């Protein structure tokens, strides 16, 4: 079945630094979504990418969808303590949504 | 207020005792889904529903049943729970218009099966 791999599993970041989390699918995706889950909370939608090569920005967050629609990345610049949480990518194919295992981010002040 | 509600939020039960976790949304969404979340495995889709009376298996459907008799409700049924179904469960809903839109998640149900 469809698999979505996400790396790294953990990211420890110094406040102010940048980091990137990567998502790779074994199959071509219709679209990819990104979610953020704060500790003890539920996943909250961040963004959806649909087109090949698409790049979208939300303030310090940059999302990219690969040309082959099999991979995606989330890059966060100037990390803040509010960025703490787990970031998930989710790929859609044939009405089924497959989530990556997530990247859990901790921030050193 | 647009929301997805789940009940109960916490449940401790014993092996083999049938249980139902309810899920309801007030946004008139077509697509509803159940996920389980386990450490290191992310969210895995159990079942999803494209609309009333239309349901299909996700990646981990074994041991679960669902029904979609009304658009707003999508209950998850465990006919004979086992300890390996101890997990955090999320229900989610979204619009579906020639493509899937953002999913709205419920607050989660933490289930322990002893």
């Amino acid at each position: 079945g469809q698999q979505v791999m996400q790396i790294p599993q953990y990211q420890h970041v110094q406040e102010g630094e940048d980091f990137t989390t990567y998502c790779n699918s074994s199959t071509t995706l219709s679209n990819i979504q990104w979610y953020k889950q704060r500790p003890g909370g539920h996943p909250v939608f961040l963004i959806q990418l649909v087109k090949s090569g698409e790049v979208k920005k939300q303030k310090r967050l940059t999302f990219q969808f690969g040309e082959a629609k099999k991979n995606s990345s989330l890059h966060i610049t100037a990390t803040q303590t509010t960025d703490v949480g787990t970031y998930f990518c989710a790929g859609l194919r044939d009405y089924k949504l497959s989530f990556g295992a997530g990247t859990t981010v901790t921030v050193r002040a | 207020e647009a929301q997805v509600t789940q009940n109960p939020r916490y449940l401790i039960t014993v092996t083999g005792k049938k249980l139902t976790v309810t899920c309801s949304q007030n946004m008139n969404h077509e697509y509803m889904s159940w996920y389980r979340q386990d450490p290191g495995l992310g969210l895995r889709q159990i079942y999803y529903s494209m609309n009333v009376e239309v349901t299909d298996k996700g990646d981990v459907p074994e041991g679960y049943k669902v029904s979609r008799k009304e658009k707003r409700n999508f209950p998850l049924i465990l006919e004979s729970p086992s300890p390996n179904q101890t997990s955090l469960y999320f229900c989610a809903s979204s619009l579906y218009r020639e493509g899937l839109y953002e999913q709205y998640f419920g607050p989660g149900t933490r289930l322990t099966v002893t």
Side-chain angles (χ1 to χ4, degrees):
Chain A
Q2 175 180 305
Q3 284 193 328
V4 175
M5 309 299 291
Q6 191 172 353
I7 58 169
Q9 186 175 359
Y10 298 99
Q11 185 78 55
H12 307 291
V13 189
Q14 180 73 40
E15 191 172 14
E17 290 184 342
D18 303 350
F19 74 90
T20 303
T21 173
Y22 300 90
C23 196
N24 289 288
S25 170
S26 56
T27 57
T28 302
L29 301 169
S30 302
N31 65 32
I32 197 153
Q33 299 177 344
W34 284 89
Y35 292 82
K36 178 181 178 181
Q37 184 178 25
R38 294 185 186 276
H42 59 272
V44 175
F45 177 82
L46 293 175
I47 209 159
Q48 175 166 279
L49 305 170
V50 180
K51 299 176 184 176
S52 169
E54 189 170 15
V55 178
K56 287 188 177 180
K57 290 191 175 185
Q58 286 181 350
K59 297 183 181 178
R60 295 179 294 104
L61 279 60
T62 301
F63 303 84
Q64 192 164 7
F65 200 10
E67 294 290 341
K69 300 184 75 173
K70 284 187 169 185
N71 57 72
S72 181
S73 63
L74 160 58
H75 181 76
I76 299 182
T77 58
T79 303
Q80 300 176 359
T81 54
T82 53
D83 295 324
V84 164
T86 301
Y87 295 83
F88 293 99
C89 62
L92 179 70
R93 189 167 189 263
D94 297 334
Y95 312 114
K96 289 172 64 172
L97 202 59
S98 292
F99 280 74
T103 295
T104 298
V105 176
T106 54
V107 179
R108 298 190 300 274
Chain B
E1 180 191 353
Q3 60 181 352
V4 178
T5 56
Q6 292 179 228
N7 282 291
R9 295 289 313 279
Y10 302 91
L11 180 60
I12 300 174
T13 189
V14 296
T15 299
K17 187 176 181 182
K18 181 179 179 180
L19 67 92
T20 299
V21 184
T22 64
C23 173
S24 184
Q25 51 95 3
N26 62 359
M27 296 167 279
N28 202 35
H29 285 166
E30 294 83 13
Y31 190 98
M32 295 187 74
S33 186
W34 275 102
Y35 300 89
R36 60 177 290 173
Q37 184 173 27
D38 302 288
L41 296 177
L43 292 133
R44 291 181 291 169
Q45 194 174 47
I46 303 170
Y47 269 94
Y48 64 95
S49 170
M50 297 292 293
N51 215 321
V52 176
E53 302 291 1
V54 181
T55 63
D56 209 344
K57 296 177 181 178
D59 291 326
V60 288
E62 293 78 22
Y64 304 94
K65 284 175 58 176
V66 293
S67 68
R68 188 93 182 269
K69 293 183 171 57
E70 305 165 285
K71 198 171 186 179
R72 63 183 293 125
N73 297 322
F74 190 46
L76 179 69
I77 303 154
L78 284 72
E79 295 269 3
S80 183
S82 62
N84 64 14
Q85 292 178 298
T86 292
S87 188
L88 178 59
Y89 291 86
F90 287 102
C91 178
S93 75
S94 66
L95 281 172
Y96 196 94
R97 299 274 190 276
E98 298 181 0
L100 192 65
Y101 289 75
E102 68 177 278
Q103 294 205 91
Y104 292 81
F105 282 81
T109 296
R110 188 166 291 282
L111 172 66
T112 302
V113 184
T114 60

